[in-house]
Amino acid sequence: MTAGTQARVEILSHSDAAGKRASEIVATTVHAKPDAVLSVPTGSTPLPMFAHLISMVERSELDLSRVELFTLDEYVGMAPERPNSLTGWLIQEFLNPAQISGSRRHLIPSTANDLTAAARAYEAELANLGGLDLAVLGLGPNGHIAYNEPGATAESRTRVVELTPGSLEQAAGYWPEADPVPSRAITIGVGTLLEARQLVLIVTGKSKADMLARALNGPMTSDVPASWLQQASDRLTVIADHAAARQLG
Ligand code: PGA
């Protein structure tokens, strides 16, 4: 099935099947290029994909030890050791069990004094490795990809952004502690992501159905940052479960 764009849309029965399918795409990329440059999202959506990838690594069906992994976003001022760090979470949930070692982890800068310079250096680090071979993304309830919030342009690069009230509320749901969620994040840009040779957007659950339809079938607009992914045309694969795909028509 194809949506209004040339993106390939694959609809799976449930979130675990979607995660398995996404893991197969990652595995295919890494089998073809063992030192592939990848990014993966944080959040609840990628957990089934992580589980399948980790299980492939444990069964020696997949070696992720040579991939170069770029993280997508982090709260400003947040060190990976802190309990609510997105980076720390990704290290625990995926990078450690997937055996992606420290030297191949490219962690988006979040504590530098000069975050503008650090963001530029992060882009240069990615460019030096040839850019992203595969960017795996999730879809935020407000249409964000990474932390490219509404207002993000298709040309945006790695930068500091203000989080919207909706994203702060979403993030607060993951924070067991009473700490307030930082109001700013640093995120890889939409333009940076659109340069990836392949992109995978994983979307599961009925709460994302309306936003997924707007992202794929609506106009390309900064109001829905994920809609810029239409520009990736056939480099984009959307993997959705039935619940998320039900408004695609
Ligand atoms: P979720 O977050 O996977 O926890 O729904 C997705 C996102 O905000 O990108």
Side-chain angles (χ1 to χ4, degrees):
M1 176 186 177
T2 47
T5 70
Q6 298 168 53
R8 181 179 171 78
V9 180
E10 299 187 19
I11 300 173
L12 286 300
S13 53
H14 48 77
S15 58
D16 184 65
K20 184 165 192 292
R21 179 68 191 117
S23 74
E24 288 165 3
I25 294 177
V26 173
T28 300
T29 301
V30 175
H31 283 139
K33 185 179 177 191
D35 58 352
V37 182
L38 307 179
S39 66
V40 294
T42 54
S44 52
T45 306
L47 289 172
M49 177 184 76
F50 291 162
H52 285 284
L53 286 170
I54 291 163
S55 130
M56 278 188 256
V57 167
E58 286 171 348
R59 293 195 306 261
S60 301
E61 292 166 10
L62 178 66
D63 179 5
L64 292 174
S65 68
R66 289 176 57 201
V67 305
E68 303 285 350
L69 195 293
F70 282 75
T71 63
L72 293 175
D73 48 15
E74 178 59 285
Y75 301 107
V76 164
M78 183 67 71
E81 300 73 36
R82 302 234 327 251
N84 293 313
S85 161
L86 296 173
T87 310
W89 179 88
L90 191 64
I91 289 171
Q92 295 304 323
E93 294 292 328
F94 183 56
L95 303 187
N96 281 347
Q99 298 168 27
I100 298 172
S101 70
S103 65
R104 302 202 183 255
R105 297 174 182 175
H106 305 270
L107 308 180
I108 197 162
S110 54
T111 57
N113 286 333
D114 184 347
L115 280 176
T116 305
R120 216 177 292 123
Y122 195 62
E123 289 271 343
E125 194 175 325
L126 177 59
N128 283 340
L129 286 166
L132 288 164
D133 289 301
L134 173 62
V136 184
L137 300 167
L139 176 67
N142 65 356
H144 69 215
I145 45 173
Y147 257 141
N148 291 286
E149 296 279 62
T153 67
E155 295 77 30
S156 56
R157 312 303 302 196
T158 303
R159 70 205 183 287
V160 171
V161 295
E162 294 287 334
L163 297 178
T164 59
S167 286
L168 292 172
E169 199 180 307
Q170 180 197 8
Y174 305 123
W175 289 42
E177 284 134 75
D179 302 3
V181 180
S183 64
R184 293 189 307 156
I186 182 164
T187 181
I188 201 163
V190 177
T192 322
L193 291 168
L194 285 174
E195 288 169 2
R197 279 175 277 283
Q198 198 185 355
L199 297 97
V200 169
L201 179 69
I202 314 174
V203 189
T204 55
K206 63 176 193 258
S207 68
K208 303 273 178 75
D210 176 58
M211 194 47 79
L212 179 60
R214 289 173 66 189
L216 294 188
N217 297 339
M220 280 190 261
T221 165
S222 288
D223 295 343
V224 180
S227 67
W228 296 126
L229 294 174
Q230 294 176 33
Q231 289 188 5
S233 56
D234 62 356
R235 288 178 293 124
L236 173 66
T237 303
V238 178
I239 299 178
D241 65 2
H242 275 304
R246 65 187 185 174
Q247 288 182 37
L248 290 182

